[in-house]
Each structure stands twice: as structure tokens, then as C-alpha cells.
Amino acid sequence: MTRIAAWVALALAVTFLSWSGRALWQTWHDSDATAFARERDLVLRTGTREVAMLNSIDWTRPDEGLRRWRDASTGPLRDRLQRESATSRQKILRARTSAVANVDDAAVTSLDVRTGTAQLIAAVRIRLTPQGGRTTVQRKRYEAGLTRTSSGWRLKSLTVLPVSAR
């Protein structure tokens, strides 16, 4: 009886290993899964870069910064940035403060490759340096909506997320 149990156990182990190996091989060679992972990584890289860009400005070159903001955006966000461009320029020049943003952490929370839409959350650190003043740091969290355009993924929305006061 012990030999039969050993043979059965061996047969089950071989069957399980064969099934596991085949499933792993399929995962590694699944072009749909690979394509989705590449697109997710592209959304993460692009969204991270664009969130940082929309939080950065050199007050001595506001037109260049505002152009980069528009280039990183699409749809309603781009329309709003375009519409408020003159007012934003005046505020930037009046404040005489430069901002350099870095995304400390980000994650894609949803991605629909078929419709070309994605959501991203990001933790951002912004270094604010007023002319002749001391640099301060702000930390913000954002949710960003992205849309795939003919020129790549662009931000269609950018919303500040409240930080809980725990």
C-alpha cells in the first residue's frame, strides 16, 4: 500500500508541476499581458513626468513654463490652462517664486487600453524658492486622469487629494 501511495503522490506532483510550468510559460509569452504591462509602464512614466511638470515653473521664464504645461495636457485641462494663461503669467511674475516638483511615488490605479484612458495617483514634493528667499517644501497628493492622444499620453485632469489628519 505504501508503494501505491508513493506512486500516486509522484503522479500528482508531476501533474501539478507540468500544469504550473505550462501556466507560467503562457504568462511569460502572452503578448496581450506583455503589451498591457508595457502600456501601464508608459502611462506611469508619462503621467509621473507630466504631474511634476504641471507643478514646476521658473518665474523668470513663465511663458516657457506655461507652454510646457499646455504640452503636457489635453482636453478640459488644456482648455483651462489656455484660458487662464494670461492670469497665470501675471500671478507667477508677481509671486517671483520658482517651483521644482518631484514625484516621490506614483501608481496607475486604472488603465483601459481599448478606450485610451487611465488614472494615476502621485505623491509630489514641491520645492518653492522665492526670489532672494529661503526654499520651502510642500507635499501634495494628486489624482491624474490621462488620455491617449496622437502624440502620446497626456493629462486630462489633475485633482489635489486631501491628506488625512491622523
Side-chain angles (χ1 to χ4, degrees), residues 3-164:
R3 273 193 185 163
I4 294 173
W7 281 108
V8 168
L10 179 61
L12 288 173
V14 168
T15 302
F16 176 74
L17 287 174
S18 297
W19 178 82
S20 297
R22 186 177 190 302
L24 187 58
W25 183 86
Q26 282 180 325
T27 300
W28 286 343
H29 294 88
D30 184 353
S31 61
D32 289 342
T34 303
F36 183 84
R38 275 196 301 269
E39 198 69 16
R40 181 202 59 226
D41 293 347
L42 177 61
V43 166
L44 182 61
R45 276 193 315 274
T46 303
T48 298
R49 182 184 67 238
E50 291 175 349
V51 166
M53 191 178 309
L54 263 69
N55 281 281
S56 298
I57 194 78
D58 179 349
W59 79 268
T60 64
R61 298 191 315 242
D63 295 327
E64 183 181 312
L66 293 170
R67 181 188 47 78
R68 280 198 305 262
W69 289 3
R70 286 188 304 273
D71 290 347
S73 60
T74 190
L77 179 58
R78 182 183 172 89
D79 294 344
R80 185 174 55 107
L81 291 171
Q82 182 68 39
R83 189 175 54 251
E84 297 172 357
S85 184
T87 305
S88 296
R89 185 179 192 282
Q90 289 175 350
K91 287 179 181 178
I92 292 164
L93 289 172
R94 239 188 335 257
R96 295 179 178 255
T97 299
S98 293
V100 177
N102 292 310
V103 174
D104 291 332
D105 202 6
V108 175
T109 58
S110 70
L111 171 60
D112 187 335
V113 176
R114 186 181 52 78
T115 62
T117 58
Q119 291 289 118
L120 174 112
I121 54 172
V124 181
R125 181 174 20 99
I126 306 164
R127 293 180 49 218
L128 299 167
T129 308
Q131 180 187 28
R134 173 176 278 152
T135 299
T136 58
V137 176
Q138 285 184 352
R139 295 186 187 281
K140 294 184 178 183
R141 294 184 321 164
Y142 289 97
E143 180 177 55
L146 292 95
T147 297
R148 186 175 48 230
T149 68
S150 59
S151 56
W153 288 92
R154 298 292 179 257
L155 295 178
K156 68 177 178 182
S157 65
L158 188 62
T159 306
V160 177
L161 297 175
V163 178
S164 64

